[in-house]
Amino acid sequence: MANFDTNSWYQLLIGDNPQAMVGTSLFNNGTGAVFFQSPNATKLVQQWQLFPFNSTYYVVRSRDSGPRGYMNVEVDPEEETIGRTVPIMANYTLSDASMFWQISPWGDGTFFFTNAANGTAWHLTRKGDGLMAMNSNITVPQNGQRFQFKQLGSINNERYSTVTTVTATGLPAVVEAPTNEPATVPTGNAPVQTTPSTAASGSNGGLSTGAKAGIGAGIGIVALIALIALGFFLYKRRTIRAANTAKLEAKDKKGSAYLSVYTSDHKYDIVPQQLSTGAAPVRFELDAPPVELPSVSAATELPVRAGERDVGGRSPDYFSRP
């Protein structure tokens, strides 16, 4: 396995009149394109990092794709090459085993790429139009499969000192660059001495990066559960309050209805009122002076004819008796 300086950018070239491999930003829903164009070392799309994942595989990312955008492969129905498999740039959340690459020597100072998902029987190949595909034709010579590496400037960015992948649990796993001995890696036709950077390990007396990541993930999950519980409590309290308010409004409406019916049934009732106690009594006087009625001085007897009786059957003589 070739060794590369993990703190250096590289330009990946093919051909005697070389073309440079491009890895774009993740412009298409977390994915980007991989192809060849005329070399220009100042372009971010042509600056690559070759990061050792373990003793067998590398993770390959461009400066333009960012620290979490890796070269993968996918099936393209429109691809004419057998297998219809082409390289792409993809966010780590969209990546699978195809993000792991082996870089092996041809023996003439150039290298070829194979992929963990496709196996060693398929090589990464530049086609004549500058596009790329995985090709099962690996019989020597294969000019479209002979990569050279030109070392550029230093990365010096902590975001590129680790690789993030998705584990079986769905949580990100962070892999740091391993410590390796210096090795010779060809740059163009001339070899250059490259020294992998030494990454911090978990054996220096503190917690390992994996442990720290696990703790951070656990804290995040606990915080999420707490937020969900708080939201549920506030929702229940608001629901109870709304129900109580509705009951009070219903009672008010019912009372108003009773009052309306009573008023309509008794709208002609006379409301008793208290007389004023401070007013003087009213006296009524006649306009004319009083008139004295004539008194009866003697009883007047009606004449009774002889033989007549009164109503009681008695004779008048009965009333004249002493």
Side-chain angles (χ1 to χ4, degrees):
M1 177 177 174
N3 294 310
F4 298 90
D5 185 354
T6 57
N7 193 43
S8 290
W9 297 113
Y10 289 88
Q11 197 174 29
L12 278 60
L13 305 167
I14 283 183
D16 295 333
N17 185 17
Q19 295 282 299
M21 191 168 80
V22 167
T24 69
S25 62
L26 310 181
F27 64 90
N28 184 22
N29 296 323
T31 63
V34 181
F35 55 91
F36 272 82
Q37 65 178 200
S38 299
N40 184 342
T42 63
K43 290 186 176 181
L44 301 184
V45 292
Q46 295 186 20
Q47 299 177 23
W48 293 86
Q49 184 192 33
L50 307 169
F51 193 98
F53 182 78
N54 54 30
S55 60
T56 304
Y57 293 107
Y58 285 92
V59 172
V60 182
R61 55 189 168 191
S62 75
R63 190 170 185 177
D64 200 45
S65 69
R68 293 190 173 184
Y70 310 131
M71 186 167 70
N72 290 248
V73 296
E74 71 171 3
V75 175
D76 183 359
E78 298 182 0
E79 175 58 42
E80 297 178 355
T81 306
I82 296 175
R84 303 183 186 277
T85 305
V86 299
I88 62 169
M89 303 303 296
N91 183 269
Y92 83 97
T93 58
L94 306 176
S95 300
D96 53 21
S98 68
M99 69 180 285
F100 302 116
W101 297 87
Q102 280 184 286
I103 304 175
S104 307
W106 278 110
D108 62 353
T110 61
F111 291 77
F112 61 88
F113 282 77
T114 56
N115 187 276
N118 298 105
T120 57
W122 298 79
H123 288 188
L124 183 62
T125 303
R126 185 201 70 174
K127 303 190 298 182
D129 56 3
L131 299 180
M132 305 183 70
M134 299 300 295
N135 196 335
S136 61
N137 183 4
I138 58 177
T139 304
V140 178
Q142 292 293 335
N143 293 331
Q145 300 172 10
R146 298 179 181 275
F147 287 84
Q148 305 172 45
F149 303 94
K150 180 180 179 181
Q151 191 172 7
L152 304 175
S154 298
I155 297 175
N156 294 331
N157 189 331
E158 195 172 307
R159 296 189 303 160
Y160 290 88
S161 64
T162 58
V163 168
T164 304
T165 63
V166 177
T167 66
T169 62
L171 298 175
V174 179
V175 179
E176 297 182 347
T179 302
N180 296 301
E181 295 297 326
T184 300
V185 177
T187 302
N189 293 325
V192 296
Q193 188 76 13
T194 63
T195 305
S197 61
T198 302
S201 67
S203 60
N204 57 2
L207 290 174
S208 66
T209 303
K212 292 178 181 178
I215 293 173
I219 293 174
I221 292 173
V222 171
L224 178 61
I225 294 173
L227 287 175
I228 293 174
L230 178 60
F232 179 79
F233 170 77
L234 294 176
Y235 170 79
K236 291 294 292 183
R237 187 173 70 174
R238 184 174 181 180
T239 303
I240 294 172
R241 183 180 297 174
N244 291 337
T245 302
K247 289 180 180 179
L248 291 176
E249 291 177 353
K251 289 182 178 179
D252 290 341
K253 291 180 180 179
K254 190 173 182 180
S256 299
Y258 287 155
L259 179 60
S260 176
V261 172
Y262 179 85
T263 303
S264 62
D265 292 341
H266 300 80
K267 59 183 179 180
Y268 297 109
D269 289 351
I270 298 175
V271 181
Q273 298 184 5
Q274 184 178 0
L275 295 176
S276 175
T277 58
V282 179
R283 300 181 64 183
F284 297 92
E285 296 181 356
L286 297 175
D287 294 333
V291 178
E292 185 176 353
L293 295 176
S295 59
V296 179
S297 58
T300 305
E301 295 182 359
L302 293 176
V304 179
R305 287 179 295 185
E308 292 182 349
R309 295 183 178 272
D310 64 350
V311 179
R314 298 180 180 91
S315 65
D317 296 339
Y318 174 81
F319 294 98
S320 61
R321 291 176 186 176

